[in-house]
Amino acid sequence: MTLETFLNHVRMRKALDTEEIYQFMNEMSEEARRITFALNCSYHTPEETRALLSQLFGETVDPSFRVFPPFYTDFGKNIHIGKDVFINACCHFQDHGGITLGDGCLVGHNVVFATLNHDIDPEKRASMIPAPIIVGKNVWIGSNSTILQGVSIGDGAIVAAGAVVTKDVPANSIVGGIPAKLIRYIEPK
């Protein structure tokens, strides 16, 4: 299986449930761990950090991108980062289904992005269903939040610390809680 074949498969939100897919995911996980261990186990300049993340993501990240390690992912090749994005320490990106962060996003400590879910049928529980997470521009995601598969977060939104986001978030809104619910809209100035 090639990366392109795998990415096309997940774009169609097809189940990840064959031996070929599992083997490919294991190989990609090994590569991701090798790079993240190198990133997380010693100091790197911002330029060196961006170089390692560009290798991990398989595409060059913008020079304005900043991350405070440690940073964790078990795949790495389906993460897309805009300009002026900041990711704080200890974030986990389960990106098989795809994670996109728009320009100007701020991601707090310990945020989890989970793009896979398991089948609810106990006989098929090992199957995984991918769906992307799309985060718009100028979004602020508070520390210890969890963003689940298939969620889109609109431009200018705020996700309160500790929220579990299970549904789409409207633009220019604040959501919080478990599961996250609308708190209020942000009034433009």
Side-chain angles (χ1 to χ4, degrees):
M1 172 164 279
T2 67
L3 178 58
E4 183 178 339
T5 303
F6 179 83
L7 293 175
N8 286 334
H9 186 90
V10 298
R11 278 186 202 105
M12 293 185 283
R13 299 186 183 194
K14 290 183 177 180
L16 306 176
D17 60 358
T18 68
E19 191 57 40
E20 180 183 25
I21 289 172
Y22 294 148
Q23 181 178 346
F24 179 76
M25 289 172 63
N26 284 335
E27 291 167 8
M28 296 305 292
S29 180
E30 288 294 320
E31 179 181 337
R33 282 196 305 257
R34 182 180 48 77
I35 297 168
T36 56
F37 283 18
L39 173 69
N40 296 334
C41 291
S42 65
Y43 172 78
H44 298 282
T45 66
E47 295 79 16
E48 293 167 337
T49 298
R50 283 191 294 274
L52 284 164
L53 290 171
S54 293
Q55 182 184 359
L56 178 64
F57 300 165
E59 60 186 35
T60 303
V61 298
D62 191 82
S64 63
F65 174 52
R66 294 181 308 134
V67 62
F68 287 174
F71 175 86
Y72 303 100
T73 183
D74 51 359
F75 186 64
K77 299 295 189 230
N78 209 358
I79 299 172
H80 310 283
I81 305 290
K83 296 178 180 175
D84 298 312
V85 170
F86 173 70
I87 300 171
N88 220 321
C90 299
C91 290
H92 295 252
F93 282 53
Q94 181 197 56
D95 64 293
H96 295 82
I99 299 169
T100 300
L101 301 181
D103 296 346
C105 284
L106 304 172
V107 179
H109 292 89
N110 299 312
V111 172
V112 173
F113 293 90
T115 66
L116 296 177
N117 206 351
H118 291 276
D119 198 300
I120 61 172
D121 179 351
E123 298 299 317
K124 298 178 184 175
R125 189 69 37 89
S127 292
M128 292 169 281
I129 312 299
I133 296 170
I134 308 293
V135 180
K137 295 179 179 179
N138 300 312
V139 171
W140 174 18
I141 300 175
S143 295
N144 296 304
S145 296
T146 299
I147 316 300
L148 296 182
Q149 67 157 163
V151 167
S152 291
I153 300 175
D155 293 349
I158 298 172
V159 174
V164 176
V165 182
T166 62
K167 295 181 180 170
D168 289 352
V169 175
N172 299 309
S173 67
I174 302 173
V175 299
I178 302 172
K181 295 189 182 342
L182 179 67
I183 295 171
R184 69 180 177 94
Y185 283 95
I186 300 167
E187 297 295 325
K189 292 187 179 190

